[in-house]
C-alpha cells in the first residue's frame, strides 16, 4: 500500500566517505531498520537544498526520507508497505 505523509521522524545516520547514509528511523512508535539505500537525490526549495533518500526496510517495505536543513529535521515523505 502506498501512502504520502510528511511526518517528522527521528533518523540515525552514518557518514560514509563524507556522505549521509540513513541507518534507521523511528516512526509511529516503532524503529525501522534500513536494509539498503536504493536511491538519493536533492531538490531545491528557494535557497534550501532538500536531501531525499529512497530506502528499503524489512521485507518489501520501502520509504522516502527527506532531510530539511532549514529546520535540521527529517520527514517521512512516502511509504510503500505490505501493511493494509
Amino acid at each position: 500500500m502506498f501512502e504520502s505523509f510528511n511526518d517528522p521522524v527521528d533518523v540515525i545516520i552514518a557518514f560514509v566517505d563524507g556522505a549521509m547514509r540513513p541507518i534507521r528511523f523511528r516512526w509511529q512508535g516503532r524503529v525501522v531498520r534500513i536494509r539498503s539505500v536504493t536511491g538519493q537525490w536533492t531538490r531545491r526549495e528557494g535557497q534550501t537544498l532538500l536531501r531525499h533518500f529512497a530506502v528499503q526496510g524489512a521485507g518489501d517495505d520501502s520509504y522516502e526520507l527527506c532531510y530539511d536543513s532549514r529546520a535540521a529535521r527529517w520527514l517521512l515523505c512516502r511509504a510503500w508497505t505490505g501493511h493494509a
Side-chain angles (χ1 to χ4, degrees), residues 3 17 36 41 53 77 80 82:
E3 294 182 75
D17 295 326
S36 64
W41 63 97
F53 296 85
C77 297
W80 295 265

Side-chain angles (χ1 to χ4, degrees), residues 45-67:
E45 269 188 16
Q47 297 288 357
T48 303
L49 190 64
L50 302 173
R51 299 180 183 276
H52 291 262
F53 296 85
V55 299
Q56 187 80 37
D60 291 332
D61 294 351
S62 296
Y63 306 90
E64 180 186 331
L65 298 169
C66 174
Y67 179 69

Side-chain angles (χ1 to χ4, degrees), residues 6 11 19 21-23 29 37 49 53 63 68-69 71 73 78 84:
N6 283 329
V11 179
R21 185 183 183 294
I23 304 296
V37 175
L49 190 64
F53 296 85
Y63 306 90
D68 180 349
S69 61
R73 69 179 181 159
R78 293 179 244 225

Side-chain angles (χ1 to χ4, degrees), residues 7-47:
D7 286 351
V9 291
D10 296 322
V11 179
I12 294 177
I13 65 166
F15 284 93
V16 178
D17 295 326
M20 277 187 184
R21 185 183 183 294
I23 304 296
R24 63 181 170 247
F25 64 97
R26 184 185 335 243
W27 176 50
Q28 296 180 341
R30 65 185 177 99
V31 173
V32 177
R33 295 184 190 283
I34 296 171
R35 288 189 305 140
S36 64
V37 175
T38 57
Q40 60 185 38
W41 63 97
T42 57
R43 180 173 60 88
R44 281 211 176 273
E45 269 188 16
Q47 297 288 357

